[in-house]
């Protein structure tokens, strides 16, 4: 079922009386990124996901966002749906939103799942890369950027064995509103560093990382996980940055096992 909350497209699956999980997708994707996980987990959990403002079905508006405004959006969904201590589950940019949400309001969540993400803010090189991405979108349109960015996200196995799905993903992201995509790049460029908060996280945490993720590799995610008390850290073999799409069974299994222990 789809609902519009605060202008955002929000998708609900499963029985609203069950334990809620809220899923936040990565950049430049949409809520469908979590389809495989939600198909299975919605049998036992109330699964909520949404399109981040400017991406997918959520309108771009003026295309001016900050990580704070993304957390405000998340908060508006929690409030509107009256979600009682959901599990928060974010991938990459969805992870950036999740980290900042924990810093602001950890008491509103019961557990956290972080896939292929990092707590550090962009360094100078990263900021300049975002700036040249915006310039490229302005001069060449969205499609060439989307193609290169998404090609970097997926592991070789997926690109070889799921060529059609991979091409579909590029076509879909290329059709997003460029103002929304650029707004997300600026929000990521301007986000704060949440590394200091990792050791303060009190709720149970699962960290998942694709073995061959080149954007947030295990060398970044293992030290991240080590800073969180009592964390469970899972490496997904033969997998790039988009672990829930590339290895749906393994990621769903890891989340299911973690949730079963809560
Ligand atoms: C994502 O998957 O959300 C992006 O890789 C995040 C980023 O560009 O930092």
């Amino acid at each position: 079922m789809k609902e519009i909350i605060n202008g955002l497209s929000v998708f609900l699956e499963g029985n609203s009386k069950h334990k809620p999980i809220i899923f936040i997708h990565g950049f430049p994707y949409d809520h469908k990124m979590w389809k495989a996980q939600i198909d299975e987990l919605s049998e036992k959990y109330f699964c909520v996901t949404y399109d981040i403002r400017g991406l997918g079905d959520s309108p771009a508006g003026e295309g001016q966002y900050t990580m704070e405004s993304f957390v405000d959006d998340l908060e508006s969904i929690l409030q509107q749906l009256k979600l009682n201590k959901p599990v928060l589950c974010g991938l990459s940019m969805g992870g950036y939103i999740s980290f900042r949400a924990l810093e602001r309001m950890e008491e509103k969540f019961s557990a956290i799942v972080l896939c292929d993400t990092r707590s550090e803010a962009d360094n100078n090189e990263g900021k300049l890369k975002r700036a040249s991405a915006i310039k490229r979108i302005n001069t060449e349109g969205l499609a060439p950027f989307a193609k290169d960015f998404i090609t970097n996200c997926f592991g070789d196995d997926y690109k070889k064995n799921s060529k059609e799905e991979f091409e579909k993903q590029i076509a879909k992201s290329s059709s997003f509103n460029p103002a929304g995509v650029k707004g997300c790049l600026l929000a990521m460029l301007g986000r704060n560093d949440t590394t200091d908060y990792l050791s303060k996280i009190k709720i149970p945490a699962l960290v998942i990382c694709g073995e061959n993720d080149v954007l947030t590799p295990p060398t970044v995610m293992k030290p991240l996980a080590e800073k969180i008390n009592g964390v469970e850290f899972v490496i997904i073999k033969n997998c790039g940055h988009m672990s829930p799409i590339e290895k749906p069974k393994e990621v769903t299994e890891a989340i299911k096992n973690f949730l079963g222990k809560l």
Side-chain angles (χ1 to χ4, degrees):
M1 192 175 81
K2 177 173 167 179
E3 262 192 45
I4 303 295
I5 297 176
N6 187 19
L8 300 165
S9 294
V10 180
F11 304 85
L12 317 174
E13 296 284 340
N15 184 335
S16 61
K17 293 199 173 70
H18 289 165
K19 183 163 187 54
I21 313 176
I22 183 152
F23 294 87
I24 317 181
H25 63 81
F27 167 90
Y29 301 93
D30 69 3
H31 72 282
K32 293 224 174 77
M33 205 208 84
W34 295 110
K35 184 179 180 316
Q37 287 68 43
I38 291 176
D39 280 352
E40 191 163 338
L41 294 169
S42 58
E43 283 169 22
K44 276 198 167 171
Y45 298 90
F46 180 45
C47 296
V48 177
T49 185
Y50 64 100
D51 287 347
I52 291 171
R53 198 173 295 279
L55 301 178
D57 280 351
S58 289
E62 292 179 346
Q64 294 183 7
Y65 324 124
T66 60
M67 207 47 68
E68 288 309 281
S69 69
F70 284 156
V71 177
D72 293 343
D73 281 342
L74 169 66
E75 198 171 12
S76 72
I77 295 169
L78 299 184
Q79 276 168 0
Q80 181 70 29
L81 295 175
K82 297 189 175 57
L83 295 181
N84 182 22
K85 289 200 170 245
V87 174
L88 182 58
C89 180
L91 177 134
S92 203
M93 182 170 79
Y96 308 159
I97 298 171
S98 303
F99 281 133
R100 182 59 192 140
L102 288 192
E103 266 190 339
R104 269 174 51 173
M105 47 178 182
E106 183 178 336
E107 71 288 352
K108 294 197 176 160
F109 302 98
S110 58
I112 176 97
V113 179
L114 296 154
C115 301
D116 303 278
T117 190
R118 66 172 74 232
S119 58
E120 291 86 12
D122 284 1
N123 59 18
N124 281 347
E125 191 192 342
K127 286 179 182 158
L128 292 171
K129 262 195 192 161
R130 305 274 190 212
S132 56
I134 291 172
K135 188 172 178 180
R136 185 173 187 205
I137 296 169
N138 284 337
T139 50
E140 299 175 16
L142 180 54
F145 164 76
K147 181 168 191 246
D148 288 351
F149 193 92
I150 291 171
T151 300
N152 219 13
C153 284
F154 284 90
D156 290 340
D157 251 29
Y158 186 84
K159 286 186 279 201
K160 204 168 108 212
N161 301 325
S162 306
K163 210 168 181 313
E164 205 176 308
E165 287 307 308
F166 171 66
E167 297 292 344
K168 270 193 205 158
Q169 188 60 66
I170 294 176
K172 186 205 252 185
S173 295
S174 301
S175 74
F176 290 169
N177 186 334
V181 173
K182 289 186 286 180
C184 289
L185 285 164
L186 280 173
M188 289 191 283
L189 186 160
R191 75 189 190 276
N192 66 315
D193 191 308
T194 52
T195 309
D196 281 351
Y197 195 74
L198 297 176
S199 61
K200 298 186 185 132
I201 295 176
K202 288 187 203 69
I203 54 176
L206 168 66
V207 172
I208 296 176
C209 181
E211 178 185 39
N212 306 322
D213 182 341
V214 291
L215 295 174
T216 52
T219 50
V220 165
M221 292 211 72
K222 191 162 181 278
L224 178 159
E226 281 167 356
K227 294 188 179 76
I228 305 176
N229 289 319
V231 75
E232 190 175 327
F233 181 51
V234 175
I235 297 225
I236 308 286
K237 293 236 176 299
N238 251 324
C239 180
H241 184 61
M242 301 306 293
S243 55
I245 298 180
E246 294 181 51
K247 297 285 175 190
K249 274 200 201 115
E250 290 84 342
V251 170
T252 307
E253 215 39 47
I255 298 176
K256 232 164 119 177
N257 285 340
F258 171 70
L259 296 176
K261 289 183 240 159
L262 295 180

